[in-house]
Amino acid sequence: MPAALETQVGIVGAGPAGLLLAHLLHLNGIDSVIVERRDRDYVIDRVRAGVLEQGTVDLLMAMGVGEGVRSRGLRHDGLYVSFKGQRHRVDLADLTGGKAITVYGQNEVVRDLIDARLETGRPLYFEADRVAVDGLDSDRPVIRFDHDGQDHELRCGFIAGCDGFRGICRPSIPAAALNVYERTYPFGWLGILAEAAPACEELVYTLHDRGFALFSMRSPTVTRLYFQVPPDESIDKWSDDAIWAEMLTRMTTRDGWAPNVGRIIQKGVTPMRSFVAAPMRHGRLFLAGDAAHIVPPTGAKGLNLAASDVLVLARAFKGFYKCGRTDWLDEYSAVCERRVWKAQRFSWWMTSSMHRFPDETAFDRQRQIADLDYLTSSRAAMTSLAEQYVGLPAEVSFESAGLPQ
Ligand code: FAD
Ligand code: PHB
């Protein structure tokens, strides 16, 4: 006999989307259970995003889980775009009336949110096996899973599918009920973490003849770097020395700036994809974050989109459980999709203007340089970049999702 459990919102996945949603619901007095396939250390140690939009930082603060980002996050008022051997600064704060981005690793965000979850005493099952959802069209959908050798059946008011791109929630929706929009790119990113003090206080996005490269960081002692490689590149092909040689070739500018070199402590290759599945709701299953959409990392939007989705979802569940309203549930997908598509467009544009494409012509190449030349010499163009990079305004207020403004 499976162990029978009940909750208002069953959440599949303890990534940023699932954990943020769980805490937003907790603050509204709404019960949830989180079911996560991996163990705690795996979830925390996965190296992924690092850039938080202003609105994501504000959300963490308003939720009372912002102490880490406040004390250890690195606020950046600008970024650099580098091409033809020269860095050009885009003053994000000046162009957006004082907004900025904060560099704070996704690992740290997830660690802070797991701590907050454990403090609430509400359930979070790590290492759940054979997770499946059922009864999505009924008013009592279920999540089934094995935990510690015991079958569980979790009856839910709603299910939030926060299980990422390779999760089970999206594939549980009949294919005919979903529209899928997808673009793959003919390259991926080779990324490293290195024990080296950041050589620049802000991010540097580089277009070089050999392809894209990005300088970022995680802390005053850890540098994060990426460069464009073929999509199926094996990391084993790259010795540490070869990685550094390629990084330095692409990033060194004519004034002699280059990243500091140090011991490589993590490395991997990430493929690039744009993907949207819509609507983000089927019956009582709501998809949020990477479960519904993926962006190429060039715009640094993935984690931020997960945060904005769950703000809209928290409002919907709060409206239902606290005021008996269903209109916010019904609007959920449309509200999210508007923001998702703007982020898709921005991420596609950042990616297209800064990478080398195998089939590009000499004309394409000149146009790309002109694009960056225009961008870095026009205040209007820089303002457009800046307002999107720091994050477009959310359609949903914190107050409507049950948070203080
Ligand atoms: P996820 O973080 O994927 O969380 C989903 C959770 O669900 C995971 O904990 C997973 O273990 C769990 N899960 C999966 N299947 C099941 C199941 N069957 N049952 C239960 N649990 C399940 N974004 C950037 O902005 N910059 C970057 O540099 C960047 N790098 C990335 C590198 C990689 C390799 C990947 C995959 C993503 C990267 N992203 C980056 C995107 C960003 O990390 C994601 O947008 C963000 O993690 C989305 O959060 P999420 O909670 O929706 O999904
Ligand atoms: C990162 O720091 O990992 C990072 C920064 C900016 C991006 C992508 C990744 O666009």
Side-chain angles (χ1 to χ4, degrees):
M1 273 287 283
L5 304 168
E6 281 207 38
T7 190
Q8 289 174 306
V9 181
I11 301 176
V12 185
L19 291 164
L20 277 169
L21 176 66
H23 204 66
L24 283 165
L25 296 177
H26 166 73
L27 296 173
N28 279 292
I30 298 170
D31 183 40
S32 68
V33 173
I34 311 179
V35 179
E36 163 63 48
R37 185 167 58 120
R38 302 290 193 164
D39 65 52
R40 184 173 186 271
D41 289 344
Y42 183 94
V43 170
I44 293 175
D45 290 340
R46 255 184 317 218
V47 178
R48 288 187 170 182
V51 172
L52 304 186
E53 292 176 354
Q54 181 75 57
T56 306
V57 174
D58 294 345
L59 178 63
L60 293 170
M61 297 287 190
M63 290 170 65
V65 290
E67 183 44 31
V69 69
R70 195 195 58 74
S71 57
R72 296 191 305 280
L74 307 169
R75 181 188 153 100
H76 289 194
D77 282 339
L79 59 77
Y80 290 87
V81 173
S82 175
F83 61 101
K84 291 171 95 177
Q86 210 177 334
R87 281 183 298 164
H88 304 260
R89 185 161 187 270
V90 179
D91 192 330
L92 299 171
D94 178 50
L95 293 161
T96 59
K99 292 185 185 161
I101 52 121
T102 299
V103 171
Y104 189 62
Q106 182 167 328
N107 327 52
E108 304 295 325
V109 174
V110 166
R111 188 198 314 273
D112 295 347
L113 289 169
I114 289 176
D115 289 349
R117 175 68 179 184
L118 297 180
E119 238 171 71
T120 66
R122 294 188 189 270
L124 164 47
Y125 292 89
F126 285 109
E127 297 182 77
D129 240 357
R130 299 200 300 130
V131 180
V133 296
D134 200 5
L136 306 180
D137 290 317
S138 74
D139 60 6
R140 214 67 191 142
V142 294
I143 303 176
R144 296 199 179 84
F145 61 98
D146 289 358
H147 189 257
D148 274 347
Q150 162 77 54
D151 289 355
H152 290 71
E153 186 169 286
L154 172 62
R155 290 162 184 271
C156 312
F158 297 94
I159 297 177
C162 301
D163 50 348
F165 185 63
R166 307 209 174 274
I168 50 94
C169 287
R170 192 183 66 253
S172 306
I173 299 175
L178 271 188
N179 293 309
V180 170
Y181 308 87
E182 188 166 16
R183 171 189 286 258
T184 53
Y185 296 85
F187 39 75
W189 281 9
L190 186 156
I192 62 164
L193 278 177
E195 281 173 346
C200 174
E201 284 182 355
E202 295 171 344
L203 272 58
V204 185
Y205 286 85
T206 301
L207 173 63
H208 184 269
D209 285 346
R210 296 176 62 86
F212 175 81
L214 172 62
F215 167 87
S216 181
M217 65 204 68
R218 282 295 176 273
S219 74
T221 55
V222 176
T223 296
R224 176 96 170 125
L225 301 170
Y226 302 91
F227 59 75
Q228 168 187 354
V229 290
D232 48 3
E233 190 81 331
S234 162
I235 190 68
D236 301 331
K237 228 181 96 181
W238 288 87
S239 69
D240 290 3
D241 286 348
I243 291 174
W244 278 119
E246 192 65 29
M247 290 289 182
L248 294 174
T249 301
R250 295 197 197 183
M251 290 189 200
T252 305
T253 47
R254 276 194 267 127
D255 61 6
W257 178 81
N260 291 325
V261 175
R263 191 168 73 90
I264 295 178
I265 47 181
Q266 191 269 343
K267 56 182 172 179
V269 174
T270 311
M272 309 269 273
R273 187 194 300 269
S274 302
F275 176 93
V276 179
M280 292 165 59
R281 171 194 186 172
H282 182 76
R284 288 207 165 213
L285 170 66
F286 290 75
L287 302 177
D290 278 17
H293 41 73
I294 297 276
V295 283
T298 328
K301 290 285 166 247
L303 171 57
N304 296 293
L305 279 181
S308 52
D309 284 355
V310 297
L311 181 68
V312 184
L313 193 50
R315 178 184 74 155
F317 290 146
K318 180 203 148 207
F320 182 81
Y321 281 117
K322 300 295 157 181
C323 322
R325 50 192 292 185
T326 55
D327 55 330
W328 282 341
L329 291 168
D330 295 338
E331 281 174 22
Y332 169 70
S333 188
V335 172
C336 291
E337 282 174 61
R338 280 195 284 276
R339 190 182 174 80
V340 165
W341 275 109
K342 285 178 208 153
Q344 286 289 359
R345 194 210 66 81
F346 178 66
S347 305
W348 161 84
W349 171 75
M350 285 281 282
T351 305
S352 311
S353 44
M354 304 206 68
H355 289 74
R356 305 262 351 226
F357 286 73
D359 59 350
E360 74 187 19
T361 62
F363 178 90
D364 296 329
R365 184 85 185 123
Q366 293 303 326
R367 187 195 43 73
Q368 213 176 24
I369 299 286
D371 209 6
L372 297 182
D373 202 0
Y374 170 60
L375 169 68
T376 52
S377 58
S378 154
R379 189 171 171 90
M382 278 190 284
T383 304
S384 170
L385 170 86
E387 72 170 357
Q388 297 180 82
Y389 198 80
V390 302
L392 294 171
E395 274 187 47
V396 166
S397 70
F398 288 179
E399 196 179 17
S400 67
L403 293 172
Q405 275 297 24

